[in-house]
Amino acid sequence: MLFNSYVFIFAFLPLALGVFYSLGRRPKLAIIWLTLCSLFFYGWWNPNYLLLLLISIGFNYVVGKRLASTRSRNILFMGITGNLLLLGYYKYTGFAAYILKSFIDFDLGIANIILPLGISFFTFTQIAFLVDAYRGEVKEYSFINYALFVSYFPHLIAGPILHHKEMMPQFGQQDGFRPRADWFAIGLSVFIVGLLKKVMLADSVGPYAKLVFDAAANGLPLTLFEAWGGLMSYSMQLYFDFSGYSDMAIGISLLFGIRLPINFHSPYLATSIIDFWRCWHITLSRFLRDYLYIALGGSRLGVLTKYRNLLLTMLIGGLWHGAGWNFLIWGGLHGLYLAINHLWRQWVSSCQRDQLVKSRAANFFSWLVTFLAVTIAWTFFRASDLNAATLILKGLFGMNGLALPERYYFDLGHLGLWLHNIGIPLKALNAGDVISFGGVLQLAIVTTIAFFAPNTSQIFHRFQPALENRSITITSPKSNVLAWRINPAWATLTAILGLVAIINITSLSEFLYFQF
């Protein structure tokens, strides 16, 4: 079931909320109902995998309780191994079979394995729970609260990755769950913003990205403008698709009086790769830092070990997103980026950094380098294979020429002729004439919104709809006009935007992170 579907908006969500609040004076029953709703939500996609989720929940709950009393390394090892084996079978068996066949010509004869939705998210969530249970940091072991913690439908399919200490106290509220007008006003408004991001922004540029990357997958060489048009389209599609999902999850959860952690904070405005990972998929960054990088030794064991751990952490982070060489390379690139960023900060003294921060030119250059590095790395994240990624990269660096699409001659008139005369010829577009003048204009609008509009956290800054993260500072919008308020004017505007978003749900499109 998709958040951007009529069955969810007009059937599932109203029913879940109605019964939940009718049971509000009996919190335990309300939690049980919300858990059943979450399991139904997950089973809607494929009921066969509902049993898999229940087994995973039961296994980790039993292991977690055992760890609380024994603090046994062996039990912790067994629990983590069990989770990794489950994830490995469904997500990496096919990749392992491909490697064996490629290098030693050995065929395992394994048929295609369907990846259960959200398996990466609920696996990492539960590994963190086991580690914290071993450390003695888990304070509550109610099974029904734990089952809801793992299966809670707003986050289950595509995150954010939850932490028990943030969520369990909210599930255990003793004063009962009673509807509040401010929760509904803020929650619905945040949901509408997320829905707008998905159907009006992400889905509007998605077709351009698909056609260009499909052209590369079919072996067609791409010129500079084609490659950059497709890659920028994907960069914006991915951002608004994933941040839109996260906004919708936060908004839906707030309707139940439960706050989820923030997952995005304008990552494309970051002026370093370090800052980018503090603002992009924040809960994954937190998990990789707390349960992998630090567990490997972090920066405690010397400089070389620090950079080794950075690289290993990001390689594993790349593989978490998908089983393939492309994702491994993407993770490796970000590991390399982070290492260079840390080396640069070590080399430049704090005094010099302060001076650079105050320099607008230095800030712009830092932002540009960061954005280009992130965007070029998306090539491997999106391309179907290494050959397609190579074709995109050749196009990005102008190795297939600088020609503009042939139709630009008609769209641009004399300007098109002038471009042709100065050495930028016009040609038929390999990617099926996808980057039309209208497409460029649409991409420009979406990009402008990403770079200059306040993000959701800033718009709703006064009301804090999400659990904030200590590593980022959230400020109100530069213009008070864009600061959301509970008043008739904003209610009217939000209703209009919601209607626009719902009308534009013309076809169901899955969220990109469903595949991870």
Side-chain angles (χ1 to χ4, degrees):
M1 193 182 302
L2 300 172
F3 290 168
N4 56 323
S5 66
Y6 294 128
V7 67
F8 176 84
I9 295 172
F10 295 113
F12 175 84
L13 185 58
L15 179 62
L17 282 167
V19 176
F20 178 78
Y21 282 114
S22 71
L23 299 171
R25 294 182 181 276
R26 304 180 68 181
K28 209 68 175 177
L29 288 179
I31 290 296
I32 291 172
W33 167 252
L34 195 49
T35 304
L36 292 174
C37 288
S38 298
L39 295 174
F40 176 83
F41 178 87
Y42 188 78
W44 180 273
W45 167 71
N46 189 334
N48 294 329
Y49 284 125
L50 181 57
L51 179 61
L52 180 72
L53 175 62
L54 290 171
I55 291 172
S56 176
I57 290 171
F59 170 79
N60 283 283
Y61 176 75
V62 171
V63 173
K65 283 206 73 174
R66 185 67 176 163
L67 282 170
S69 59
T70 64
R71 307 284 178 83
S72 167
R73 283 180 174 269
N74 291 333
I75 293 176
L76 176 63
F77 177 78
M78 178 197 72
I80 293 176
T81 301
N83 280 284
L84 293 179
L85 285 174
L86 179 69
L87 182 63
Y89 172 75
Y90 282 102
K91 197 162 187 174
Y92 303 107
T93 301
F95 184 46
Y98 169 77
I99 292 174
L100 286 174
K101 186 171 178 59
S102 300
F103 287 95
I104 61 176
D105 196 26
F106 180 75
D107 190 354
L108 291 176
I110 296 174
N112 289 335
I113 299 172
I114 299 175
L115 182 67
L117 284 177
I119 189 171
S120 298
F121 289 95
F122 69 70
T123 300
F124 269 28
T125 292
Q126 295 189 101
I127 287 175
F129 170 77
L130 295 183
V131 173
D132 288 343
Y134 171 76
R135 294 171 177 171
E137 297 175 5
V138 177
K139 305 301 181 185
E140 181 188 342
Y141 286 94
S142 163
F143 176 73
I144 191 62
N145 285 2
Y146 178 76
L148 180 59
F149 162 64
V150 177
S151 66
Y152 189 42
F153 76 87
H155 97 100
L156 179 60
I157 307 300
I161 297 172
L162 300 184
H163 198 283
H164 67 91
K165 70 181 179 183
E166 296 172 336
M167 305 308 297
M168 299 289 253
Q170 296 190 74
F171 297 150
Q173 295 178 58
Q174 296 304 309
D175 58 349
F177 297 98
R178 295 171 186 158
R180 284 176 42 177
D182 56 341
W183 285 349
F184 273 82
I186 300 164
L188 282 173
S189 298
V190 173
F191 175 82
I192 287 169
V193 170
L195 185 61
L196 280 167
K197 285 183 180 180
K198 170 61 176 171
V199 302
M200 300 296 292
L201 301 180
D203 289 353
S204 70
V205 294
Y208 308 126
K210 184 179 187 305
L211 286 174
V212 169
F213 277 88
D214 283 352
N218 291 325
L220 295 175
L222 299 167
T223 64
L224 181 81
F225 297 102
E226 295 167 355
W228 276 106
L231 183 57
M232 282 296 297
S233 295
Y234 178 69
S235 298
M236 294 303 151
Q237 179 197 14
L238 181 63
Y239 171 68
F240 283 113
D241 190 280
F242 197 16
S243 64
Y245 180 97
S246 297
D247 287 348
M248 281 188 269
I250 288 168
I252 292 165
S253 188
L254 196 60
L255 295 176
F256 294 93
I258 297 167
R259 294 199 302 162
L260 294 179
I262 186 174
N263 217 20
F264 283 88
H265 188 62
S266 299
Y268 284 170
L269 299 184
T271 55
S272 71
I273 292 295
I274 293 172
D275 290 338
F276 171 81
W277 278 103
R278 286 175 180 160
C279 300
W280 172 273
H281 206 341
I282 296 168
T283 56
L284 174 63
S285 301
R286 178 178 65 178
F287 178 92
L288 293 175
R289 180 197 66 207
D290 293 349
Y291 298 98
L292 190 55
Y293 175 72
I294 292 176
L296 289 169
S299 58
R300 301 188 305 272
L301 304 176
V303 175
L304 291 178
T305 304
K306 169 186 174 179
Y307 292 112
R308 181 206 66 184
N309 293 341
L310 270 176
L311 186 59
L312 283 174
T313 298
M314 296 313 298
L315 285 171
I316 294 171
L319 281 177
W320 176 85
H321 282 88
W325 294 115
N326 283 24
F327 291 104
L328 197 63
I329 292 173
W330 175 80
L333 278 174
H334 274 277
L336 182 62
Y337 293 163
L338 285 168
I340 293 172
N341 199 170
H342 280 282
L343 284 169
W344 169 257
R345 288 192 173 186
Q346 279 187 328
W347 184 66
V348 178
S349 69
S350 59
C351 180
Q352 289 174 306
R353 277 205 305 272
D354 290 341
Q355 293 176 346
L356 289 173
V357 166
K358 295 176 183 177
S359 166
R360 290 186 177 182
N363 268 328
F364 175 79
F365 181 73
S366 298
W367 165 79
L368 183 62
V369 169
T370 301
F371 180 72
L372 288 176
V374 168
T375 303
I376 289 172
W378 288 140
T379 302
F380 295 96
F381 199 81
R382 172 61 177 84
S384 58
D385 53 40
L386 292 180
N387 289 331
T390 301
L391 286 174
I392 294 286
L393 289 174
K394 285 183 177 179
L396 294 177
F397 292 101
M399 297 174 68
N400 294 321
L402 306 177
L404 284 167
E406 190 176 52
R407 66 175 296 167
Y408 274 36
Y409 184 85
F410 306 102
D411 289 334
L412 301 179
H414 292 295
L415 177 59
L417 181 61
W418 177 77
L419 290 171
H420 188 279
N421 291 335
I422 65 170
I424 302 179
L426 306 173
K427 63 180 285 294
L429 186 64
N430 286 327
D433 205 15
V434 57
I435 309 297
S436 64
F437 185 72
V440 171
L441 182 61
Q442 205 164 21
L443 176 59
I445 292 170
V446 173
T447 304
T448 300
I449 292 171
F451 289 159
F452 297 103
N455 61 44
T456 308
S457 298
Q458 292 171 323
I459 293 171
F460 294 89
H461 172 63
R462 297 179 179 179
F463 303 94
Q464 296 184 341
L467 297 172
E468 296 183 2
N469 188 289
R470 289 178 299 174
S471 64
I472 59 174
T473 301
I474 298 174
T475 57
S476 58
K478 293 180 180 178
S479 171
N480 285 329
V481 175
L482 297 175
W484 189 89
R485 297 174 177 84
I486 299 179
N487 60 32
W490 271 102
T492 303
L493 177 60
T494 303
I496 293 171
L497 293 176
L499 183 61
V500 169
I502 289 171
I503 290 173
N504 280 276
I505 302 176
T506 53
S507 61
L508 295 182
S509 60
E510 288 191 351
F511 293 87
L512 297 179
Y513 258 72
F514 276 22
Q515 62 187 293
F516 306 131

